[in-house]
Amino acid sequence: MKNFKIIFIIFALIGGFTACEDELDVINPNNQTTYDFGDSEPELQEAIIACYNRIRLEGTFARVGYTMDAVRGDEVWNSSQQWYLEYDNLNSPGTIEIGDMWIWRDNYHVVNRTNFVLSKVDEVNLSDDAYNQIAGQALFLRSLAYYHLATYYQTVPLITDYAAYSDISTMYASNSTQDEVFDQIEADLAKAMEMLPSRDEGGEWAAGRATSGAAAGYLARTLMFRHKFEAAYTVLKDIMAGKYGHYELVADYGDNFREGTENNAESLFEVQFLDFGTGGTDEEWTPVNISPEATQGHAVESNYASQELGSWGDLAGSPWLYNLFKKENSTDGRLDPRLYWTLVTYEDEYNAYTNQKTSAYPNGDPRSNTVYQQDITQTPLSNNAQGGISIAKFTNARNNLYSSITNGLHCGVNIRLMRYSDVLLRAAECENEINGPTQTAIDYINEVRRRVALEDLQLSDFPSADALFEQIANVERPKEFGCENGRGIDLLRWGFFYSDDRLNQLVEHGYYKLDGTASTEELTAETASASSFQYYYKGHEYFPIYQSTLNANPNLTGNSANKNEDNGPAFREKYNIRPVVALD
């Protein structure tokens, strides 16, 4: 009997081990990996949506990835004198996460996901239309990420093969030159331009997605960054001719900055956020948060808006930009309506007009001078302690949706990354660079000016290409795109950091006053508290690569900001920097 019990126990143990071994062989169908996902069209379509999700993170366009370029420019300054200070002053030591690491991290999330899609799409049996749509969107979004990586960090690893992540020797990639990165961007966008449908062809599918027009617009931007004006001009003229779909200026400038008028006829590409109050409650600040209850909004408003009305009060519009608007009225005598949508200032006329013919004003609304449903009689402060003028763009300051700001990822105004007005003003710049001041260039500019009822420019007022460039660079573009992402990139491509007269001009534009008021006076060296650009270190027109990232990757070296290295000689050897010209 004892032997029988022993034999029984042995068989039971053998059976138990065998059963456990069988269980371990069972594959959980809900636990997919990159090896068995993306092998069908529905899964690739899901993967593309996941790529769009990554451009809505804090380091891409939901907060600092968008606002850092604005504060690097001369239209915005750091009114909190804390959160963005080293980036406003262009002297980060390379150990601060918000700019040195978060933007890098989140854009490489986009690169990673788009590389995954591109590694799979050739292996799946797809129709030509499905293949072109999936691959074209991945190429565009990868280019979008690399465009911002290269213009923020100068020399970044160029990774285009998803298999590189599987081997530690290739995963730790080394720096590529900025030209190598831009070569890849140009190649990818040229493909995407041909593969993607136009907004007209795409119909409802195209709303909020990358289209051939978006790819063409960003290709023109990329070409102009390297002063390839003739090639860029060809692309811009094709956009204007409708080759990539129909685009036009919307009648009301304000329609570019409110909910309900998103993905309109002027928008080449915008980042999609759910309207206020329609998302969840969880704030998806970092890439690890994949909550289905995410708010689906952005926090640009929390940086741009007035601290008096609930925001963090980090960023303010420059007094230079405010006074630029005040120098020229519309043909009916009223203020340029773009001021209303760019900066939150109190102006007497906002409470005094009726039957306004100029677009963008709220046309006779008795609550015309309200901010977050509060009647105001003076300009609200950006920051309660330091002062400054708060920014209206991509906030609900002028939209009357709620009475106070809920800080965090809650604003639902889509971030318009490229508008048709940019196509027109870039075409004017290319025409001027190639042919000098011409009536054609003036006509492009006047199309933008007429939308806000400004008097037409006259060719006779611009005797040289330098003079017309000054008008485009320091009048037309700041007033049309003030406080938007892109001004810092413009300063880079124009070489304004590499010329003494241009750098002095930036210092003057960047004057601000730390007196606890929303100062709108024209400031000088004697009356200003400081200028962001007086603290500029050579090489820091780019942001340094985060020191911990450099420590972790033995193949990666620092950029010009890490080395305090002057980029001026190399830039001047390749490109022309136009001198400062006094405009009448």
Side-chain angles (χ1 to χ4, degrees):
M1 178 63 71
K2 183 176 179 181
N3 290 338
F4 175 79
K5 287 181 179 179
I6 292 172
I7 292 169
F8 178 80
I9 290 169
I10 290 171
F11 275 113
L13 289 171
I14 292 171
F17 288 136
T18 304
C20 290
E21 195 171 311
D22 288 343
E23 277 187 27
L24 290 173
D25 287 338
V26 175
I27 297 173
N28 179 359
N30 297 315
N31 187 26
Q32 290 180 307
T33 70
T34 54
Y35 297 103
D36 54 26
F37 183 79
D39 297 329
S40 67
E41 181 178 341
E43 289 181 350
L44 285 175
Q45 296 287 7
E46 288 182 33
I48 276 294
I49 292 171
C51 296
Y52 283 101
N53 177 267
R54 299 294 90 176
I55 67 171
R56 299 166 65 257
L57 294 174
E58 181 171 26
T60 46
F61 300 107
R63 189 187 176 194
V64 298
Y66 185 86
T67 54
M68 279 292 188
D69 186 70
V71 79
R72 170 168 59 173
D74 51 0
E75 304 161 344
V76 175
W77 64 282
N78 173 219
S79 50
S80 72
Q81 291 289 287
Q82 296 177 24
W83 188 250
Y84 287 84
L85 187 59
E86 291 81 4
Y87 303 99
D88 187 29
N89 290 343
L90 297 164
N91 59 15
S92 170
T95 56
I96 304 171
E97 289 190 357
I98 63 167
D100 303 341
M101 192 269 277
W102 291 354
I103 298 171
W104 176 287
R105 174 199 66 194
D106 290 356
N107 275 290
Y108 273 111
H109 271 275
V110 179
V111 170
N112 179 49
R113 292 195 178 192
T114 53
N115 280 342
F116 171 75
V117 172
L118 292 167
S119 75
K120 293 280 190 175
V121 68
D122 287 331
E123 307 303 320
V124 179
N125 186 21
L126 300 168
S127 69
D128 288 345
D129 284 348
Y131 178 87
N132 287 336
Q133 287 179 4
I134 292 168
Q137 289 175 93
L139 289 168
F140 173 81
L141 292 171
R142 184 170 74 181
S143 298
L144 181 69
Y146 269 125
Y147 178 81
H148 284 86
L149 283 166
T151 53
Y152 274 126
Y153 300 108
Q154 187 185 29
T155 57
V156 300
L158 181 60
I159 304 170
T160 59
D161 183 2
Y162 189 74
Y165 304 123
S166 64
D167 189 315
I168 198 165
S169 64
T170 53
M171 183 171 65
Y172 286 111
S174 59
N175 308 68
S176 297
T177 67
Q178 191 178 59
D179 278 334
E180 287 171 335
V181 177
F182 273 112
D183 284 343
Q184 185 67 50
I185 295 170
E186 287 180 22
D188 284 354
L189 288 174
K191 289 180 186 176
M193 213 163 65
E194 300 304 320
M195 299 172 81
L196 290 169
S198 70
R199 62 183 300 159
D200 305 341
E201 295 165 337
E204 185 177 352
W205 175 91
R209 291 182 184 263
T211 63
S212 60
Y218 266 88
L219 179 58
R221 283 183 170 181
T222 303
L223 292 166
M224 290 181 73
F225 191 88
R226 296 203 281 178
H227 293 216
K228 297 181 179 181
F229 296 111
E230 292 191 6
Y233 198 18
T234 298
V235 176
L236 293 166
K237 285 190 283 190
D238 283 343
I239 296 172
M240 293 185 292
K243 181 176 180 179
Y244 304 108
H246 175 74
Y247 296 97
E248 63 181 21
L249 300 180
V250 293
D252 188 338
Y253 180 75
D255 282 350
N256 295 305
F257 310 104
R258 56 161 69 97
E259 294 179 6
T261 55
E262 296 158 330
N263 302 305
N264 60 39
E266 188 168 339
S267 180
L268 275 75
F269 187 71
E270 58 193 68
V271 185
Q272 310 295 305
F273 295 99
L274 285 184
D275 289 352
F276 176 75
T278 61
T281 56
D282 294 343
E283 298 197 76
E284 190 174 19
W285 289 106
T286 66
V288 297
N289 185 346
I290 53 173
S291 168
E293 295 301 318
T295 54
Q296 309 291 329
H298 66 74
V300 173
E301 177 175 57
S302 298
N303 289 146
Y304 273 2
S306 168
Q307 194 173 41
E308 285 186 319
L309 300 164
S311 89
W312 293 321
D314 284 321
L315 301 175
S318 69
W320 166 71
L321 180 62
Y322 172 80
N323 284 286
L324 193 62
F325 280 116
K326 296 284 281 190
K327 283 179 169 61
E328 185 179 18
N329 285 357
S330 299
T331 52
D332 60 8
R334 302 190 189 280
L335 291 171
D336 184 332
R338 293 174 296 187
L339 171 60
Y340 182 85
W341 287 99
T342 303
L343 301 173
V344 184
T345 60
Y346 172 78
E347 310 294 340
D348 288 337
E349 75 174 53
Y350 292 159
N351 282 334
Y353 59 80
T354 57
N355 300 319
Q356 174 66 28
K357 295 178 182 178
T358 306
S359 61
Y361 286 126
N363 198 17
D365 183 346
R367 297 181 61 83
S368 61
N369 198 35
T370 59
V371 181
Y372 300 104
Q373 299 177 7
Q374 297 183 35
D375 291 314
I376 64 170
T377 56
Q378 62 183 8
T379 297
L381 297 177
S382 170
N383 184 274
N384 291 340
Q386 313 294 348
I389 309 166
S390 66
I391 300 168
K393 279 185 177 173
F394 302 118
T395 77
N396 280 300
R398 301 302 194 187
N399 293 331
N400 208 35
L401 289 184
Y402 38 78
S403 58
S404 62
I405 302 162
T406 301
N407 273 326
L409 297 164
H410 295 282
C411 187
V413 180
N414 282 3
I415 302 292
R416 281 73 156 179
L417 288 185
M418 188 168 190
R419 301 189 277 112
Y420 185 61
S421 56
D422 191 30
V423 173
L424 292 168
L425 291 182
R426 284 178 180 274
E429 186 178 340
C430 287
E431 171 70 19
N432 186 54
E433 291 290 340
I434 296 165
N435 300 313
T438 65
Q439 189 59 49
T440 299
I442 296 293
D443 289 344
Y444 292 142
I445 298 169
N446 284 340
E447 186 172 345
V448 177
R449 291 170 63 85
R450 286 169 189 160
R451 193 240 302 264
V452 289
L454 293 184
E455 186 177 347
D456 280 358
L457 298 182
Q458 301 300 316
L459 178 58
S460 57
D461 292 331
F462 300 97
S464 67
D466 289 338
L468 186 55
F469 172 81
E470 193 76 37
Q471 180 74 23
I472 293 169
N474 282 321
V475 179
E476 303 303 333
R477 290 193 68 85
K479 291 203 290 186
E480 179 67 19
F481 306 114
C483 305
E484 297 181 41
N485 178 286
R487 179 66 176 178
I489 298 171
D490 282 344
L491 301 183
L492 290 175
R493 70 185 179 88
W494 292 330
F496 280 14
F497 292 95
Y498 314 131
S499 159
D500 288 343
D501 62 346
R502 284 298 182 187
L503 191 54
N504 289 336
Q505 186 182 59
L506 292 179
V507 170
E508 292 171 359
H509 291 178
Y511 284 139
Y512 56 81
K513 203 168 188 178
L514 300 175
D515 64 351
T517 71
S519 172
T520 57
E521 65 183 284
E522 290 197 70
L523 297 172
T524 66
E526 291 71 35
T527 59
S529 299
S531 167
S532 309
F533 294 91
Q534 75 187 56
Y535 303 107
Y536 161 67
Y537 289 178
K538 289 186 185 299
H540 285 255
E541 64 275 18
Y542 294 98
F543 296 159
I545 299 171
Y546 192 47
Q547 187 59 50
S548 294
T549 302
L550 294 173
N551 295 343
N553 183 350
N555 299 321
L556 197 62
T557 60
N559 62 16
S560 66
N562 296 101
K563 301 171 185 176
N564 296 321
E565 196 170 73
D566 185 3
N567 292 306
F571 186 94
R572 290 191 296 270
E573 186 176 330
K574 293 168 65 176
Y575 306 129
N576 178 45
I577 303 173
R578 293 205 174 271
V580 174
V581 173
L583 297 173
D584 294 333

